[in-house]
Amino acid sequence: MADREQPYDPYIPSGSGAAAGGPGNSRTAALQAQIDDTVGVMRENINKVADRGDKIDALGSKADNLVHSTREFRRGANKVRKDMWWKDMKMRMCLIAGIVILLVVIIVPIVVVKH
């Protein structure tokens, strides 16, 4: 059982074995190191893209909240503008009525005294 053969691996050249220390083995190790580095960079990029997607989703949610807040602000601003317009009109009517009453109080006695 100790003499069992290794399972077939198409990436290991036949006849050299996994533990053979030739120039091909160092080349394979260098290629494997490059592949590992590339895989590491790709994983980092995938994580960055996922984080970017999360940030974009959060930004979209904030934009939706901002749109809702803008609509509420606009409604509130219009209500305040209309309320202030009515207050201004009431004040103008009161001033006009006061001036008319004042003129009547001043002019009527003068006209009555002359007749």
Side-chain angles (χ1 to χ4, degrees), residues 11-60:
Y11 298 107
I12 297 176
S14 63
S16 64
N25 195 19
S26 64
R27 183 173 168 223
T28 304
L31 287 174
Q32 187 64 41
Q34 277 185 326
I35 290 170
D36 291 341
D37 289 342
T38 303
V39 167
V41 169
M42 288 174 64
R43 285 186 180 151
E44 288 176 20
N45 289 342
I46 289 170
N47 289 337
K48 287 178 183 178
V49 167
D51 290 343
R52 181 176 174 256
D54 292 342
K55 289 178 182 178
I56 288 173
D57 290 342
L59 185 61

Side-chain angles (χ1 to χ4, degrees), residues 34-88:
Q34 277 185 326
I35 290 170
D36 291 341
D37 289 342
T38 303
V39 167
V41 169
M42 288 174 64
R43 285 186 180 151
E44 288 176 20
N45 289 342
I46 289 170
N47 289 337
K48 287 178 183 178
V49 167
D51 290 343
R52 181 176 174 256
D54 292 342
K55 289 178 182 178
I56 288 173
D57 290 342
L59 185 61
S61 175
K62 288 179 183 179
D64 290 341
N65 290 339
L66 187 60
V67 167
H68 178 69
S69 296
T70 301
R71 288 180 184 151
E72 291 299 318
F73 177 78
R74 185 172 289 143
R75 284 185 196 128
N78 285 338
K79 184 180 183 312
V80 168
R81 183 177 51 84
K82 289 176 184 176
D83 289 346
M84 293 306 291
W85 184 83
W86 277 112
K87 249 185 190 176
D88 186 46

